[in-house]
Amino acid sequence: MSKLPFEKICILGPGLLGGSIAMAVHQHMPECELRIWARRQQPLDFVRECGITEHTYTDAREAARGADLIILATPIGAFEELSRYILSAVAKEAIITDIGSVKAYVHRTTGAMLTSRGRCFIGSHPMAGAETPGIENAFADLIKGATVALTNPHGAPEAKLQQLAAFWEALGTSTYVMDPANHDRTVARISHCPHILAALCARGATLGQEPMEDLQRLAASGFRDTTRVCSGGANMWADILWENDVAVRSALHDCVNDLHHLIDLLETQDKEGVRQWLIAAKNARETIREIDN
């Protein structure tokens, strides 16, 4: 077997994350043949100008032909249609994966379709991103140090799962195998719900009667850092919340209940209760993030 996990890698959709993965492949696996497809010529021109690869395509079927790893990096809603289009060009031994942040929906639709047609589909979700979209904002180290969740409910062979894990780990990430439903419940609480709450903080700042000039002059690093992620693309995030709505609604109901609890503590002048609420929040954050220490 080659020292490379894959010799021909195809990335369908060079946006921020897909483009960053392409740059990481170019950096860490320069010997492999990297193929990139986009609907528009502009991002492909950028790819070639940056020297990432000369193998660029506006026909996804031609990009996928002969590749041993195909990465779906478009919006999740386009996965199934795109997979149907490239199917005839996908080699039987190839692995198809995705980088979507919702997994149960992807496996229920795209994964089930590909598996029923004899193709190997394993889900991937690199826990990395930024609020600035597009390949022009991509960089190779975006995924460095990230965890990549792998989901395999269709029972792809263990050797295929390990091959895909080896690919992600060669790019400087760690991998973590999860059940798709558990993945979606987890990201609803540590990714999707925080995005909503960041948006709520930004919206909430304008819901009162305070003059905009006052808000602008006094907004500092706390406001900037808390609300940063809500600058991400609204179309993409609307799709994410729609596709993971059950888990997101459950997380939001818990947040609303906890917020009502804090309001009750303030209304009853329970200062010690407020202090304990804040201590519990601090402890929760430190416990979740202790893997970094």
Side-chain angles (χ1 to χ4, degrees), residues 5 7 35 73 92 123 161 187 199 209 217 253 260 263 272:
E7 294 183 350
R35 303 173 175 188
K92 291 282 188 179
L161 183 64
V187 296
Q209 301 301 315
R217 291 296 296 270
H253 281 304
H260 279 302
I263 291 172
E272 177 58 22

Side-chain angles (χ1 to χ4, degrees), residues 99-123:
I99 54 171
S101 67
V102 177
K103 292 269 91 70
Y105 172 84
V106 171
H107 284 291
R108 189 169 63 248
T109 54
T110 306
M113 184 276 292
L114 289 169
T115 302
S116 70
R117 287 158 176 78
R119 301 307 194 275
C120 175
F121 181 83
I122 302 170

Side-chain angles (χ1 to χ4, degrees), residues 62-89:
E62 291 308 309
R65 195 177 305 280
D68 46 5
L69 175 64
I70 299 167
I71 302 174
L72 303 174
T74 64
I76 291 172
F79 284 177
E80 186 173 3
E81 180 183 358
L82 183 58
S83 296
R84 289 182 185 277
Y85 178 75
I86 67 171
L87 186 61
S88 64

Side-chain angles (χ1 to χ4, degrees), residues 254-274:
D254 288 341
C255 288
V256 168
N257 290 338
D258 199 34
L259 187 58
H260 279 302
H261 173 58
L262 176 60
I263 291 172
D264 289 341
L265 293 174
L266 292 169
E267 288 182 341
T268 58
Q269 300 291 288
D270 187 350
K271 185 176 181 179
E272 177 58 22
V274 171

Side-chain angles (χ1 to χ4, degrees), residues 161-183:
L161 183 64
Q162 292 304 317
Q163 186 181 9
L164 182 59
F167 163 76
W168 287 117
E169 289 164 9
L171 301 185
T173 74
S174 60
T175 57
Y176 186 59
V177 180
M178 300 185 74
D179 169 79
N182 187 44
H183 166 277

Side-chain angles (χ1 to χ4, degrees), residues 28 37 68 110 126-127 170 174 185 187 192 224 235 243 278:
H28 294 282
W37 165 85
D68 46 5
T110 306
M127 296 301 298
S174 60
R185 289 191 295 267
V187 296
H192 302 167
R224 179 198 65 205
N235 290 340
E243 289 146 0
L278 293 169

